[in-house]
Amino acid sequence: MITPKHLIENAKKYPDKTALSYKDNAGSWVNNSWLDFYNSSELISKSLIACGINKNDKVSIYSYNRKEWVECYAAIQLINSAAVGVYHTCSPNEVDWIVNNSESKIVFVGNNPGDNGEKDKMPVHRLNSIIDQLSKVELIVLMDGVDQIQNDKIITWEKFLDKGKNIDTNQVIDRLENINSDDTASIIYTSGTTGNPKGVELTYHNFNFESDCLLTFLRYDQGEKFISWLPGAHVFGQALDNHYWIRTAMHMHIADNPLNTVDIAKEIQPSLFISVPRVYEKVYSNLKSAIESKAILKYGLKIPIMKNALKKKLRTAAGFGNLKFAISGAAPINPDILKFFQSLNIPVYEGWGLTETTAGATLNYWNENNKIGSVGKIFPNTKIKVADDGELLLKGDNIMKG
């Protein structure tokens, strides 16, 4: 069953359970239920239909992670169109390339939490500087809180949602029921060896297969917590935050800024955590400093009667008190950091994958399946071998469509 159908199932099975939380302007968490999330996504779907978006049409999302990002992504998938994530830090030239190359008809524009109030770092102003070059774009939708720009192609979030109010729900369901699992669900642009980034086409089945692989050893119950902080334009974040999340009905907390990720972890104590090595390096440095500076920790960790209690305190202090599993990927991590974490019973494991493999292709995990210094075992029902020239060759249903 593809992700959009799992979303409908969650809305029926867990209508009042919290699906996601995000921070309002005052910094307080706001909760949305699964029914809330589905209803919002469906309304966006209706507006997309009203705007003439058809099967296989491309829709770009140019923003950092926020509630509207995942709603727009889910909405695009509900009607069998293809989402194109654009990094919130992309330059005007990069946006020009991705939006034009993908032939996106609509662009949703959100925020860059690292803009420091500088207009030339804001997605809306970067897009505005090249708006006349986006010949295929028919509509640009500004999410709430974004600077308003005057242009015939630009409308507000509220006016966009108004467009879908006369579209019948059956039109959305009809689109959903006619999805072929091999249809393109998402196009993710990734740096090639030469030239401009290349668009990788990933299907509904690619994402479904990836979740299937993870679920053979990594299962979570409805409501368990994790943090969405890796950009949705990145395959690692997209696969977990928009597919595995819905598949498992976990409770996702959306970071308002990637720099706040560790603090959010300390606050909510997630069960699952995914990251690139630099965040683990920061946590490692803080824990090492705490241990070296406090005799009770330095020596107590060596005393059998004390060490388990102290390890638990350190895990909680790091934000990993409830952690069942953490993945490090996208770049190599120092093996000493993994050894240190695992000595404290912090389950951080290294994996490897590509955009072309729908994120993960190999992963370490528990017991005999963990070898520090490696990227782990190949995913179930996939194959890997080394070619004569040293290139890795992979085969499986997680391999891109094109």
Side-chain angles (χ1 to χ4, degrees), residues 284-345:
Y284 168 81
S285 178
N286 290 341
L287 288 176
K288 288 286 282 187
S289 296
I291 291 169
E292 290 300 319
S293 64
K294 296 180 181 179
I296 182 97
L297 294 174
K298 188 174 184 179
Y299 298 106
L301 286 169
K302 300 175 183 178
I303 301 172
I305 199 171
M306 296 178 64
K307 66 179 182 180
N308 287 337
L310 292 175
K311 285 180 180 181
K312 184 176 181 180
K313 286 184 178 294
L314 286 169
R315 291 196 299 270
T316 301
F320 296 154
N322 295 326
L323 195 65
K324 291 183 177 180
F325 201 89
I327 302 173
S328 177
I333 188 170
N334 187 328
D336 290 338
I337 294 177
L338 294 176
K339 291 174 184 176
F340 173 76
F341 280 137
Q342 291 177 23
S343 75
L344 296 177
N345 300 326

Side-chain angles (χ1 to χ4, degrees), residues 54-72:
N54 295 306
K55 175 182 177 178
N56 295 329
D57 282 344
K58 317 304 186 294
V59 178
S60 287
I61 310 172
Y62 181 25
S63 177
Y64 182 59
N65 302 5
R66 51 189 287 167
K67 177 176 76 81
E68 295 90 343
W69 205 110
V70 287
E71 288 174 344
C72 289

